[in-house]
Amino acid sequence: MTETRAETSAEDLVAEFDAERPARRLSGRTAALVTVAALALSLYALHQTFLPGAVLPYRMAFLAVVLPLAFVCYKARRGGRDEPGPFDWALAALSLAVCVYPIVVFDDLIRRAYAPTVLDVAAGALLTLLLFEACRRTVGWILPVVCAVFFAYAYYGGYLPADWALGHRGYDLDRIVAAFTMGTEGVYGVPLDVAATYIILFTIYGAVLDASGAGRFFVDVSFAAFRRSRSAPGRTVTLAGFLLGTVSGSGVATTVSVGSVAWPVLRRAGYPREQAGGVLAAAGIGAILSPPTLGAAAFIIAEYLRVSYLTVLVYATIPTVLYYLGVFLAIEMDARRYGTRAVPVDTGGPWPLIRRFGYHFSSLFVIIILMALGQSPFRAVVYATLLAFALSFLDRTPGGEHRLTPRRAVRALAAGATGVLPVAVTCAAAGTIVGVVTLTGLGLKAGSLIVGMSGGNLAATAVACALAVLLLGLAVPVTASFVIAAVIIGPALLNLGVTPAEAYMFIFYYAVLSEVSPPTALSAFAASAITGGNAQRTMWATWKYTLPAFLVPFAFVLTPSGTGLLAQGPIGEVLLAAAVSALAVAVLAAATGGWIIGPAGPVERGLCGLAAVLLLVLSPWPVLAGLGVAALALAVHFVRRHREAHP
C-alpha cells in the first residue's frame, strides 16, 4: 500500500468502502433539484411523526421519493460520470410512475390483492426490477442476486420433489408480484417502514449534529481526555469512534472520519500500520453496536419484538460495555508490546473544551431521557434534533461556521434524507425476501432443517447460525443480512427454546461483526487504506480486537444466566453475569494479546483462552473451573517470568 494510496481523501475512501454512501458529486441544477426533493422527504418524515397518516400510503409515498433519488444520486457503474445521463433520468421517471401508481389506485388495489389486474402485475414487476437495479447501484450486485434467487425459489419451488423439506406448491408470477407490492409483507413491509420512520429521523439528527460541529468536538475532546499516557492514542481513537458513531451511524464512515485525524497521532506514538488500522476499524464498528444510536437493524428488532427502542438499547448496554472493555484491554497490551509512547496533542485540557462545546452532548442525553419518560423514539429524536439546531447558535468559532442558518439547515436536512437512500433501498429489496418467506413458509422449513442437521443440539445450531450470518454479511450490508437471517435462521434458534430477544440480538451482533470478519472486512480495508498497511494483516488485527464480541453473544443464547447480559432478570443475576463476563473478556484479551504482566507464552495464552470459554458458560461449576484455569495461567506466567529473570 503506497503513501499515495494512504493519503486518499476521506470522502473518496467512504465512497469506495462504504456501500451506504452516495457516489455522485452533483452540482448545478441537478444538485438543487436533489436538495429540494431531499428536503421535501425530510419534512414529510417530520410531518408524519406529529401528524401521522395511514401507514401503507406513507410507505408508498416515501419509496416514491427515495427510488427516483437513488437513480439520480448513484452511478450505474464505478467510475461513471457524476452528472446523471438520459438513461438515469428515464429510470428515475419510470420509478416515480410505478411508485405513484399504487397510491393513485390505493383503495381498489387493496381490495384486489388476491386477484391483481394485468396493470397491477406489470407495475409491480417493474417496481421490483427497478428496486433491484437501485439496490445494485447502492450496495452492489450480490443482494439483488440473492433476492432473485428467492424469487426463483417461489416460482420454481413447485418443481422440487414432494418429499424435500423446502418444497412447496409453487406460485405464478401474479401471486408473487402481488405478495411483493400489494400488501405489507413485501416491499412495503416492516424493513421499509423502519427506514421511513426510525432511520430517516436518526439520519436527519446525525446530519444536524454534524453540521453543528459536534463531530469535530467529539474528536477533540477524545484527544484531550487521554493525552499523556503511552496508551492514550489508542484509547483516544476508541472513545472518538464511540462518540462519532452517534453522528455517522456507519462503521466505515466512522473508521474513515476518525482515522483521517488520528492516524498521524498513532504513527507518532509508534503503532505499526496494521495494528493502528485494527484499532481504527474496531472503534468504527463499535459505533454501530453502541447506544443511543445503534445500527439500522436495531430499529427492526424493536419492530419485530413489538418492544420500545429503549428496550433494545437496554439489551445492548452490557454487551457494548464488554466490547469496549475488550478493545481497551487489547490497547493497553499493545501499548506495552510495541513500546508506544505518549504524543502531545495541542487540544488543551478536556474541561475547557467541555465548558465551551459540551452542549453537543445535550441532545444525546435528551433522546434517552425522553424515551425513559415515555415519549416515542420518533418524537424523542425530533426533539433532540431541534435542540441540536437551537444549540448550534452557541457556536463561538470565528464566523460562526457551525451555526445552522437557514441555508445550512436546509443542507443538513437534505443530507439527512440522502443519507437514508441506500438503507431504504436495501430495506425495500430485503422486503421481497420477507415476502417469499411469508408466501412459502420458508422460515419454518429452513429452521427445522438447520435444527435437524445439528441433531437438535443448541450449541451446534448456534454455531451454524453464527457462521451463516457471517457468511451472509460478507455479501450484503448489515441491515439486509439481519433481515434475511431473522426470517430464515431465526426460527432455528426459536425452535430450540431461545427467546425472540436473545435470538434477534444474537443475529444482530453477528450481522454487524460481518463488517470486520475475514475475508471481506470493509472497515478493516478502509482503515488499511488510511494507514497504508497490509489489508489482510489489518483485517486480522481488527479481528483480534473484536474477538470478545464474537463470543459474548453465545453466552446469552446458550446459558440460562445469559439473559442477564441483556439486562433481563433480577438485578443480582444481571450484575453477576456482567462481572463474570467482564472477567472472561479480560482473560480472553490476555490470550489474544499475548500479555499478562509481561509477554505471555503459548501455555499461558492457551489456558487463558480455555478459562474465557468456561467463564462465558455462566453456570456455577464451569465458572469455578474457569477461575481455577485462569489462576493456573497466572501462576504459570509468574513462574516463567521468575525463571527468566533469575536463570
Side-chain angles (χ1 to χ4, degrees):
M1 200 69 75
T2 65
E3 290 297 325
T4 302
R5 182 73 181 90
E7 293 171 359
T8 305
S9 73
E11 186 176 352
D12 290 339
L13 289 175
V14 170
E16 179 175 356
F17 292 104
D18 190 354
E20 298 186 353
R21 292 289 165 183
R24 279 192 169 120
R25 298 176 183 175
L26 301 173
S27 59
R29 293 181 179 178
T30 304
L33 178 63
V34 167
T35 298
V36 170
L39 176 63
L41 184 62
S42 290
L43 295 176
Y44 186 36
L46 294 171
H47 175 272
Q48 182 73 6
T49 301
F50 294 97
L51 297 171
V55 172
L56 189 53
Y58 171 67
R59 298 177 193 175
M60 291 175 172
F62 179 82
L63 189 61
V65 181
V66 163
L67 197 55
L69 280 177
F71 286 111
V72 176
C73 292
Y74 289 83
K75 300 176 183 178
R77 63 185 184 280
R78 187 181 295 273
R81 53 183 292 182
D82 276 327
E83 286 299 313
F87 184 64
D88 300 309
W89 288 111
L91 291 179
L94 186 59
S95 61
L96 178 62
V98 296
C99 287
V100 168
Y101 169 76
I103 301 174
V104 174
V105 297
F106 182 77
D107 292 336
D108 292 334
L109 189 76
I110 297 303
R111 282 196 294 269
R112 61 178 183 247
Y114 289 96
T117 65
V118 173
L119 187 57
D120 295 337
V121 174
L126 271 175
L127 172 60
T128 303
L129 291 174
L130 289 165
L131 189 58
F132 288 175
E133 167 59 14
C135 191
R136 183 195 67 80
R137 292 185 178 209
T138 55
V139 297
W141 57 269
I142 296 179
L143 180 57
V145 169
V146 171
C147 294
V149 169
F150 276 84
F151 174 86
Y153 169 73
Y155 191 78
Y156 293 107
Y159 295 102
L160 295 174
D163 57 342
W164 278 32
L166 299 181
H168 59 81
R169 66 183 181 86
Y171 298 91
D172 60 20
L173 180 64
D174 291 9
R175 186 72 183 88
I176 297 171
V177 170
F180 282 179
T181 61
M182 297 178 69
T184 57
E185 296 295 338
V187 170
Y188 301 114
V190 170
L192 181 63
D193 182 60
V194 168
T197 52
Y198 292 96
I199 299 174
I200 187 170
L201 296 177
F202 274 86
T203 57
I204 291 171
Y205 167 66
V208 169
L209 201 61
D210 188 40
S212 70
R216 183 70 226 183
F217 164 69
F218 290 153
V219 173
D220 287 345
V221 79
S222 299
F223 275 103
F226 301 116
R227 68 184 192 276
R228 293 186 178 176
S229 72
R230 60 183 174 182
S231 54
R235 294 180 192 169
T236 296
V237 167
T238 307
L239 178 60
F242 171 74
L243 294 174
L244 203 59
T246 61
V247 178
S248 74
S250 163
V252 171
T254 303
T255 298
V256 171
S257 299
V258 174
S260 60
V261 177
W263 162 234
V265 178
L266 292 172
R267 180 172 53 196
R268 285 159 53 201
Y271 273 89
R273 293 177 184 273
E274 289 76 19
Q275 298 302 320
V279 174
L280 292 171
I285 204 65
I288 307 180
L289 297 171
S290 304
T293 53
L294 299 171
F299 300 105
I300 300 176
I301 292 175
E303 287 297 306
Y304 280 173
L305 294 178
R306 300 294 181 185
V307 299
S308 70
Y309 181 61
L310 182 61
T311 301
V312 179
L313 294 186
V314 171
Y315 292 160
T317 299
I318 295 176
T320 297
V321 172
L322 296 176
Y323 175 83
Y324 281 104
L325 174 63
V327 173
F328 272 106
L329 289 173
I331 286 170
E332 293 295 330
M333 294 172 186
D334 279 355
R336 287 157 178 78
R337 178 194 297 166
Y338 298 114
T340 61
R341 53 193 173 272
V343 177
V345 179
D346 187 20
T347 58
W351 295 116
L353 272 175
I354 291 174
R355 282 194 297 269
R356 187 176 180 186
F357 300 109
Y359 58 83
H360 288 301
F361 287 123
S362 303
S363 59
L364 296 174
F365 293 123
V366 162
I367 293 176
I368 302 297
I369 292 170
L370 289 178
M371 287 195 293
L373 292 175
Q375 288 285 343
S376 70
F378 312 119
R379 294 198 173 194
V381 73
V382 171
Y383 291 140
T385 303
L386 292 174
L387 179 62
F389 167 79
L391 292 176
S392 72
F393 291 95
L394 296 177
D395 177 45
R396 288 179 289 172
T397 56
E401 61 178 311
H402 297 303
R403 294 174 187 169
L404 290 176
T405 59
R407 181 184 294 273
R408 291 170 183 158
V410 166
R411 284 203 299 263
L413 289 172
T418 54
V420 85
L421 295 182
V423 181
V425 169
T426 299
C427 287
T432 64
I433 295 173
V434 177
V436 170
V437 171
T438 303
L439 185 66
T440 63
L442 177 61
L444 294 176
K445 296 173 183 177
S448 300
L449 190 62
I450 293 172
V451 171
M453 292 174 62
S454 60
N457 181 275
L458 179 57
T461 301
V463 171
C465 290
L467 291 175
V469 178
L470 285 177
L471 289 173
L472 184 63
L474 299 179
V476 299
V478 170
T479 306
S481 65
F482 172 80
V483 172
I484 298 169
V487 297
I488 300 296
I489 298 169
L493 296 172
L494 298 176
N495 288 344
L496 292 176
V498 178
T499 68
E502 294 164 351
Y504 287 139
M505 290 302 289
F506 180 87
I507 292 170
F508 169 67
Y509 278 100
Y510 274 92
V512 172
L513 290 169
S514 64
E515 281 210 8
V516 291
S517 299
T520 58
L522 294 179
S523 292
F525 275 92
S528 69
I530 292 172
T531 65
N534 178 274
Q536 296 297 323
R537 289 199 291 271
T538 300
M539 184 172 56
W540 287 109
T542 305
W543 188 80
K544 179 195 76 173
Y545 281 114
T546 58
L547 184 59
F550 284 87
L551 296 184
V552 168
F554 281 100
F556 53 74
V557 167
L558 299 180
T559 66
S561 301
T563 54
L565 295 179
L566 298 180
Q568 304 300 296
I571 185 63
E573 291 182 10
V574 170
L575 293 176
L576 183 60
V580 173
S581 299
L583 181 59
V585 168
V587 294
L588 181 61
T592 58
W595 192 280
I596 301 179
I597 302 299
V603 175
E604 301 105 285
R605 296 178 71 174
L607 289 171
C608 284
L610 175 60
V613 172
L614 290 170
L615 288 168
L616 284 174
V617 175
L618 296 179
S619 295
W621 289 112
V623 168
L624 290 174
L627 291 172
V629 174
L632 178 60
L634 198 60
V636 170
H637 183 67
F638 277 116
V639 169
R640 187 179 61 80
R641 282 181 57 80
H642 179 75
R643 288 177 176 174
E644 290 175 352
H646 305 88

